[in-house]
Amino acid sequence: MNYFSTDAIIVYAFLFITLAVGLWAGRNVKSIKEYAIANRTYGTGVLTITMLATYLTGSQAIGYAGHVFDNGVFFPFITRVFCGVIICFLFIARYIAPKMYRFAGCLTLAEIMGKLYGPKVRIWIGILGTLYSLIMVTLQIIWLGYIGDFINIPSQWSIFLGGVFLMFYASRGGMKAVAITDILQFVAITILIPLAANVLLHRFDGIRDMFTHVPSENFNFFQHLNINEFLIPFLWYLFPAFPLSFPFMQRMLMAKDTRQIANSHYIATFYLIGFYLLLTFIGLAAIALKTMGDVNIPHQGSKIFIYLVKTYFPVGIKGIVGIGLLAAVMSTADSFLHSAGMLVAHDVIGPLLQTKKTKIDVLKISQYATFSLGLIAFCIALSYQSLPRILYGDIHWGKGINIFRDFVAIVFTIPMIAGIMGLKTDAKSFFISLIATCITFFIGKLFLSDLWFMPVTIIINAVSFFGAHYLQNKGFLTVKRDEILVT
């Protein structure tokens, strides 16, 4: 492989610029509040950008275009965009954002759960959230190797550069470094998709010509689907676990007020609709190229985006596309890495040592924890040869390391939403739902099909949580969080 091809040099330059910007932005961090939420100094624009950069993971572009190639237009749009973006983001803006002022002063999702359910729950969520975030970081760093391969950079070399760089700037500067590098990475992502669509458009005599080569069944809602194949993804994307997970709650906590939180989600909704429409165009372009006689196009949608880049994109443009994909990976990885370090220091080590009346420097512990967890993820990725599963199809799920991540997502989402919305909270109902979910999760893995496994586990979590609450209180009780945060 050529380590210094034009495309490789473009990618190297982006990596070094990202490192320099991150180290510069994160200089002189002096308090844990500054490290965790940047002292709530950023405006709506930065808040929206850093949230979007975190949301657009390394598999988003590749996965969604592949969805369109496999299943046509409507199924991906209804599940991923309508359910996963429009409904979830508007729900957060309308119902979660107005109530976040009640948690002013909190720095993490685990601390919010501690306010709602008590210190033991805070520590448990801190531990579970650390593992959740560490898995996300590991999966993203593995994607660095995948991206390196397609622009002819050895996978371990791209993992080394990207992984080491994000460890340094995320651990040193915290949210200030992450937010500013997210802006740089967001610009790269925003350039990537329109550029890719424009390059592919030049393979046709205009948009109309492309659509004439797309078979009509690709616009049929039930192109390849039965009701089960539609219903389960529909329900899963409605479950707002990811957009309410650990780094996203930190974005809400770093907002100046609730209006800023709501506005950032409204803006993000419109941006993501346009983003996915362009990815739909790329997927349809691949279908048209296949219809026009490209016999080498892969049959699996998961391989389509990379094939298009390798086959139809000229030198230089491949490097720019590589930067965009790299930015999507690093902006997600650094956010989850920062969250993991904060959870370890602020919500696990800090509370445990406080019970022993031991004075600690939470800022220093956060920095060391972030670097150490990044190093763990980096080492796993270097020794890990399979790709993380893209969000559909039969591609390997990364040897199952995502299973625990899904479990944690189910455990915290419903209790957190219920508490924020005003349900009377107590630790007993949380731990009952945790135990019931754990039992269901592992039994379900043995006896339930993949199609029904996650919906059944979510239902059991909800039934056990609300059932325990109902039995304890002989009904459903709410409280005014302005007066009582722990009941």
Side-chain angles (χ1 to χ4, degrees), residues 281-301:
F281 177 89
I282 292 172
L284 292 176
I287 295 171
L289 290 169
K290 181 179 179 180
T291 304
M292 292 169 64
D294 187 339
V295 296
N296 296 316
I297 279 192
H299 295 293
Q300 289 181 311

Side-chain angles (χ1 to χ4, degrees), residues 113 117 120-121 124-125 128 407 410-412 414-415 425-441 457-473:
M113 292 294 283
Y117 294 94
K120 291 182 179 179
V121 173
W124 270 100
I125 293 296
L128 295 174
F407 169 74
I410 295 172
V411 165
F412 77 78
I414 291 175
T425 58
D426 64 89
K428 186 178 293 185
S429 61
F430 173 83
F431 283 117
I432 288 173
S433 68
L434 172 62
I435 294 169
T437 304
C438 185
I439 294 171
T440 304
F441 198 87
T457 309
I458 292 171
I459 290 170
I460 293 297
N461 176 265
V463 170
S464 60
F465 174 76
F466 289 111
H469 169 88
Y470 186 88
L471 292 175
Q472 289 183 89
N473 298 284

Side-chain angles (χ1 to χ4, degrees), residues 193-343:
I193 301 303
L195 177 64
N198 185 62
V199 170
L200 292 174
L201 180 61
H202 282 79
R203 297 288 169 178
F204 308 95
D205 294 327
I207 295 178
R208 180 176 296 181
D209 178 56
M210 187 200 78
F211 277 99
T212 60
H213 289 93
V214 178
S216 59
E217 61 263 23
N218 290 282
F219 300 97
N220 180 359
F221 183 79
F222 294 101
Q223 179 188 357
H224 301 300
L225 306 169
N226 58 42
I227 189 63
N228 288 338
E229 290 175 324
F230 168 74
L231 181 61
I232 304 307
F234 180 87
L235 295 174
W236 177 237
Y237 279 110
L238 279 175
F239 190 66
F242 185 66
L244 285 175
S245 62
F246 301 90
F248 296 100
M249 291 303 294
Q250 274 187 269
R251 269 58 181 174
M252 295 189 207
L253 294 172
M254 66 186 281
K256 295 176 180 177
D257 51 48
T258 59
R259 183 185 296 274
Q260 195 178 59
I261 299 173
N263 288 342
S264 67
H265 281 82
Y266 289 132
I267 295 169
T269 301
F270 286 106
Y271 175 90
L272 289 171
I273 290 172
F275 181 84
Y276 283 117
L277 286 175
L278 285 172
L279 288 173
T280 300
F281 177 89
I282 292 172
L284 292 176
I287 295 171
L289 290 169
K290 181 179 179 180
T291 304
M292 292 169 64
D294 187 339
V295 296
N296 296 316
I297 279 192
H299 295 293
Q300 289 181 311
S302 58
K303 299 179 180 179
I304 286 299
F305 192 91
I306 298 303
Y307 172 82
L308 294 174
V309 173
K310 284 187 172 183
T311 306
Y312 294 102
F313 287 37
V315 173
I317 299 297
K318 287 182 183 179
I320 296 174
V321 171
I323 285 176
L325 294 175
L326 198 69
V329 167
M330 294 186 69
S331 60
T332 302
D334 60 19
S335 297
F336 277 94
L337 180 58
H338 174 251
S339 292
M342 280 296 305
L343 289 165

Side-chain angles (χ1 to χ4, degrees), residues 165-178:
F165 284 9
L166 76 88
M167 275 192 298
F168 274 105
Y169 73 74
S171 61
R172 184 194 179 201
M175 182 57 74
K176 291 181 73 174
V178 169

Side-chain angles (χ1 to χ4, degrees), residues 96 99-100 102-103 106 108-122 125 249 412-430 465 479-482 484-487:
I96 300 298
K99 298 174 175 60
M100 289 302 295
R102 298 164 179 169
F103 305 99
C106 291
T108 64
L109 185 156
E111 190 173 4
I112 290 175
M113 292 294 283
K115 292 285 187 182
L116 294 170
Y117 294 94
K120 291 182 179 179
V121 173
R122 175 184 178 181
I125 293 296
M249 291 303 294
F412 77 78
T413 302
I414 291 175
M416 183 181 69
I417 292 174
I420 291 174
M421 296 293 291
L423 191 75
K424 181 183 178 183
T425 58
D426 64 89
K428 186 178 293 185
S429 61
F430 173 83
F465 174 76
V479 296
K480 293 182 179 180
R481 296 290 177 214
D482 303 272
I484 303 175
L485 285 176
V486 181
T487 61

Side-chain angles (χ1 to χ4, degrees), residues 119 123 349-358:
I123 292 172
I349 296 177
L352 288 174
L353 291 182
Q354 283 176 2
T355 60
K356 299 179 180 180
K357 298 182 180 180
T358 302

